[in-house]
Amino acid sequence: GTGSNILSALQDLFWLLKSKVEKQLQIISVLQWVLTFLIMGIACTLILMYILCTDCWAIAALYLAWLVFDWNTPKKGGRRSQWVRNWAIWRYFRDYFPIRLVKTHNLLTTRNYIFGYHPHGIMGLGAFCNFSTEATGVSQKFPGIRPYLATLAGNFRMPILRDYLMSGGICPVNRDSIDYILSKNGSGNAIIIVVGGAAESLNCTPGKNSVTLKNRKGFVKLALRHGADLVPVYSFGENEVYKQVIFEEGSWGRWVQKKFQKHIGFAPCIFHGRGLFSSTTWGLLPYSKPITTVVGEPITIPKIDNPSQKDVDFYHSIYVDSLIKLFDKYKSKFGLLETEVLEVN
């Protein structure tokens, strides 16, 4: 009777409130990561400089002394924290979009791997969530494999930010760091390199599936030098979460972007997502579009100490073909038309 109706209404209210709270937690989790990506390094540097000018200068001085002592740690595999990788906030981050990790083949723990991640998108949201956290279960899906997401080396010169990044298993995308992980850190290591980099981010836009890969062969040479298997990875939906102003080749805007890319390592993009309080307004929050990251079949790579250009070109062509096949096999399963073609630039 009446009591049953009241109980039913209270249950409906409870689930409604719970749903709203979870949505807000998802928004907060994504917002903190976006702000980390955009301003944490600069903000921490300025705060440290300010503290040096106050009565608490000793705290900043102690941290700077530690920074000097610990300077080379990012190049030696970093300092990952399973506790940080398992934070509940990353599960809310995952569910905001949502983000999924799809395994297609087993990986042997007796081998090392270089994952080529495509496309870059604006911020590489799928790469971060899948490989720098445990939110999508990477350690359960690939037991015995230690993922290292490689990013700009300049990030590891920023105080506090460097430690935060290392806690997630993120490393500098430079030769010293990659050589150490693949040669002095045992087996079962997987370095995730966003191959297209800043150049690829300049062309990402919703509805476009293109990768910058034709002349990106350094990762193949590294794989050959260490005998590390190559694994193509495609993230469907990575380009859908932000809208960007695309400058035409030859325009002043593209000229500025390329200058930044050449001298600093990243290209400033003019982009927007949704607002904090409304999905119909502009803001820094990405749109909540599904991102599905598919890890393809590993390509067995021989160990060649000094690979020739012919060797590099041969295995690069195999990699490109494997990536295209991966895209074609799964595109219709994750929202694309069968007629969609992956553009390789």
Side-chain angles (χ1 to χ4, degrees), residues 100-148:
R100 289 176 56 204
L101 179 65
V102 176
K103 170 185 174 180
T104 62
H105 291 80
N106 292 325
L107 299 181
L108 299 175
T109 57
T110 55
R111 300 285 293 173
N112 284 324
Y113 301 91
I114 294 180
F115 287 18
Y117 184 92
H118 313 269
H120 183 288
I122 295 292
M123 295 185 183
L125 293 158
F128 171 79
C129 185
N130 285 308
F131 302 112
S132 295
T133 81
E134 294 296 331
T136 56
V138 63
S139 293
Q140 286 73 45
K141 290 175 179 173
F142 300 103
I145 301 297
R146 292 180 299 276
Y148 294 87

Side-chain angles (χ1 to χ4, degrees), residues 274-302:
R274 53 154 290 184
L276 182 59
F277 302 106
S278 172
S279 60
T280 60
T281 58
W282 288 12
L284 288 176
L285 276 178
Y287 294 104
S288 52
K289 303 287 186 179
I291 298 175
T292 305
T293 303
V294 184
V295 180
E297 182 178 3
I299 303 165
T300 303
I301 301 294

Side-chain angles (χ1 to χ4, degrees), residues 78-98:
R79 187 170 46 247
R80 74 175 56 219
S81 166
Q82 286 303 117
W83 175 64
V84 173
R85 287 175 61 88
N86 282 286
W87 277 353
I89 196 171
W90 306 132
R91 294 193 290 275
Y92 290 113
F93 182 97
R94 171 199 67 196
D95 293 340
Y96 173 84
F97 296 94

Side-chain angles (χ1 to χ4, degrees), residues 33-34 53 60 68 108-109 173 190 250 291 296 314:
W33 189 85
V34 170
C53 300
V68 172
L108 299 175
T109 57
V173 63
I291 298 175
F314 175 73

Side-chain angles (χ1 to χ4, degrees), residues 67-319:
L67 193 63
V68 172
F69 174 78
D70 194 56
W71 190 254
N72 289 322
T73 298
K75 299 177 183 178
K76 297 180 178 180
R79 187 170 46 247
R80 74 175 56 219
S81 166
Q82 286 303 117
W83 175 64
V84 173
R85 287 175 61 88
N86 282 286
W87 277 353
I89 196 171
W90 306 132
R91 294 193 290 275
Y92 290 113
F93 182 97
R94 171 199 67 196
D95 293 340
Y96 173 84
F97 296 94
I99 296 174
R100 289 176 56 204
L101 179 65
V102 176
K103 170 185 174 180
T104 62
H105 291 80
N106 292 325
L107 299 181
L108 299 175
T109 57
T110 55
R111 300 285 293 173
N112 284 324
Y113 301 91
I114 294 180
F115 287 18
Y117 184 92
H118 313 269
H120 183 288
I122 295 292
M123 295 185 183
L125 293 158
F128 171 79
C129 185
N130 285 308
F131 302 112
S132 295
T133 81
E134 294 296 331
T136 56
V138 63
S139 293
Q140 286 73 45
K141 290 175 179 173
F142 300 103
I145 301 297
R146 292 180 299 276
Y148 294 87
L149 177 61
T151 188
L152 290 175
N155 289 325
F156 296 89
R157 301 187 187 103
M158 301 285 190
I160 311 299
L161 175 63
R162 67 188 292 277
D163 302 287
Y164 189 39
L165 295 177
M166 283 194 292
S167 68
I170 300 177
C171 68
V173 63
N174 58 34
R175 180 169 172 176
D176 289 343
S177 177
I178 294 172
D179 282 347
Y180 182 91
I181 293 170
L182 295 180
S183 64
K184 299 178 181 178
N185 202 40
S187 59
N189 301 293
I191 298 178
I192 297 89
I193 300 177
V194 186
V195 178
E200 192 171 83
S201 69
L202 295 179
N203 295 313
C204 74
T205 187
K208 185 174 183 179
N209 290 285
S210 66
V211 296
T212 302
L213 183 57
K214 277 184 180 178
N215 297 314
R216 299 294 175 106
K217 300 180 181 181
F219 72 106
V220 178
K221 189 172 184 178
L222 281 169
L224 285 165
R225 288 180 61 244
H226 294 285
D229 293 348
L230 289 171
V231 182
V233 179
Y234 197 85
S235 210
F236 295 90
E238 186 72 64
N239 285 345
E240 308 300 315
V241 296
Y242 278 111
K243 296 179 181 178
Q244 180 183 190
V245 176
I246 304 292
F247 293 102
E248 297 294 330
E249 290 292 339
S251 66
W252 66 270
R254 183 52 65 101
W255 180 83
V256 170
Q257 288 176 324
K258 287 189 173 181
K259 286 295 181 181
F260 265 83
Q261 179 189 339
K262 180 179 179 180
H263 297 292
I264 301 178
F266 75 93
C269 303
I270 300 176
F271 65 91
H272 73 84
R274 53 154 290 184
L276 182 59
F277 302 106
S278 172
S279 60
T280 60
T281 58
W282 288 12
L284 288 176
L285 276 178
Y287 294 104
S288 52
K289 303 287 186 179
I291 298 175
T292 305
T293 303
V294 184
V295 180
E297 182 178 3
I299 303 165
T300 303
I301 301 294
K303 188 177 187 303
I304 305 175
D305 291 333
N306 293 298
S308 65
Q309 190 60 49
K310 185 178 179 180
D311 294 325
V312 173
D313 290 343
F314 175 73
Y315 285 101
H316 181 267
S317 66
I318 293 176
Y319 178 86

Side-chain angles (χ1 to χ4, degrees), residues 14-89:
F14 170 78
W15 288 113
L16 179 63
L17 290 174
K18 183 181 178 181
S19 177
K20 286 186 176 181
V21 169
E22 287 187 345
K23 188 62 181 177
Q24 292 305 312
L25 288 172
Q26 291 170 12
I27 289 173
I28 291 169
S29 68
V30 174
L31 179 62
Q32 70 81 26
W33 189 85
V34 170
L35 293 178
T36 296
F37 182 90
L38 294 175
I39 66 172
M40 184 178 178
I42 295 173
C44 288
T45 302
L46 293 175
I47 291 170
L48 197 66
M49 292 172 62
Y50 171 75
I51 293 174
L52 279 171
C53 300
T54 68
D55 293 339
C56 298
W57 64 270
I59 297 174
L62 283 172
Y63 178 80
L64 288 174
W66 160 253
L67 193 63
V68 172
F69 174 78
D70 194 56
W71 190 254
N72 289 322
T73 298
K75 299 177 183 178
K76 297 180 178 180
R79 187 170 46 247
R80 74 175 56 219
S81 166
Q82 286 303 117
W83 175 64
V84 173
R85 287 175 61 88
N86 282 286
W87 277 353
I89 196 171

